[in-house]
Amino acid sequence: MTIAPPESQAVLLARAEALAGRDLAWLAGELGVAVPDDLRRDKGWIGNLLELALGATAGSRAEPDFPHLGVEMKTLPVDARGRPRESTYVCTAPLDGSIARSWEDAWVRHKLARVLWIPILGDGHPGERIIGAPLLWSPSAEEEAVLKADWTALTEAIGLGETWQLEARKGKALQLRPKAAHAREMTWVIDDEGEWAQVNPRGFYLRASFTGSILKKHFAIG
DNA sequence: GTGTGATCATCT
DNA sequence: AGATGATCACAC
């Protein structure tokens, strides 16, 4: 079953809102998709299911999920208290020198310019998890300032070849984490002594505390 | 092999 | 329990 791409952000949001409160087993049934018993071997199952349901087109290409709308969709697993259970993957971190020269050009910034967050409630059987109320979001001035500061610091460390600094402890909101099939997978970088070196590929992730603050800001009872 | 979708597994 | 580092599946 294929769903046509939404013609506007309003339509996209309306579609997402119509799914809120449903469980994933229901949605999978509507789409003719089998529900796995757990996500160990289907880590992207929820994300792919929601993309299908909302009419995303980009697939695994390096584009927003809704290219014509400039919107990226991300599911966000949350616990009973409404706090994100995991960090959120944003995109691959370029370690090879093809780094954007400014935050304005950064891939991370474009990815996060407009995001449709879809909270997924529960941590039990995938089919029993509930689709939450969606949030069509753009970073506030303060949020963008934090992201920019983190990105600048992390990018600087990459640019200087300080490979030992490419660890998850850095960054208030944005962090670098391994992003590969396994730890033996390597990519080439030039280290701080100008020598070629091999390191595990990294990706940019949003800390759960950051995505949690986004949800809290928009859904907290005033 | 790289990028997209993420969660798992382990350590502190 | 929360964070860090490791890992799984699929498309191209």
Side-chain angles (χ1 to χ4, degrees):
Chain A
M1 178 167 184
T2 301
I3 310 273
E7 52 267 34
S8 67
Q9 292 192 8
V11 169
L12 173 60
L13 185 58
R15 284 185 187 177
E17 286 172 339
L19 297 176
R22 301 281 196 171
D23 65 41
L24 297 180
W26 173 85
L27 182 58
E30 290 290 299
L31 298 169
V33 173
V35 181
D37 283 331
D38 61 62
L39 300 180
R40 277 180 298 184
R41 304 200 152 239
D42 291 276
K43 295 182 180 179
W45 184 77
I46 296 177
N48 294 147
L49 185 68
L50 270 295
E51 286 186 346
L52 187 59
L54 297 174
T57 55
S60 63
R61 285 174 291 164
E63 286 185 10
D65 296 304
F66 304 94
H68 55 302
L69 302 179
V71 174
E72 178 73 16
M73 185 219 79
K74 294 211 163 290
T75 59
L76 191 56
V78 300
D79 64 19
R81 294 158 55 208
R83 305 307 303 259
R85 298 168 40 230
E86 289 285 352
S87 53
T88 300
Y89 170 67
V90 180
C91 61
T92 302
L95 302 180
D96 64 354
S98 65
I99 297 168
R101 282 175 291 281
S102 70
W103 167 245
E104 281 65 33
D105 295 332
W107 194 357
V108 178
R109 177 170 177 267
H110 290 292
K111 279 253 173 181
L112 296 179
R114 194 72 170 153
V115 179
L116 179 66
W117 297 104
I118 302 187
I120 302 294
L121 289 65
D123 58 1
H125 190 281
E128 296 174 350
R129 301 186 194 187
I130 308 296
I131 301 167
L135 171 64
L136 191 52
W137 169 87
S138 292
S140 68
E142 309 93 85
E143 288 162 345
E144 177 155 353
V146 173
L147 294 171
K148 178 177 179 176
D150 285 345
W151 180 88
T152 302
L154 295 171
T155 296
E156 190 168 86
I158 293 172
L160 293 173
E162 296 174 341
T163 53
W164 71 88
Q165 288 213 38
L166 308 185
E167 49 166 30
R169 288 176 178 77
K170 300 199 71 171
K172 285 187 175 64
L174 199 63
Q175 61 178 167
L176 284 173
R177 302 252 297 279
K179 176 60 169 157
H182 48 71
R184 280 87 64 201
E185 191 160 298
M186 292 292 169
T187 189
W188 289 101
V189 300
I190 294 181
D191 68 18
D192 61 328
E193 297 181 351
E195 304 288 337
W196 284 102
Q198 285 189 302
V199 299
N200 190 232
R202 309 304 165 95
F204 284 113
Y205 291 75
L206 293 177
R207 291 184 181 279
S209 57
F210 182 77
T211 52
S213 71
I214 292 172
L215 294 185
K216 186 175 180 184
K217 186 168 157 184
H218 290 271
F219 292 123
I221 296 182

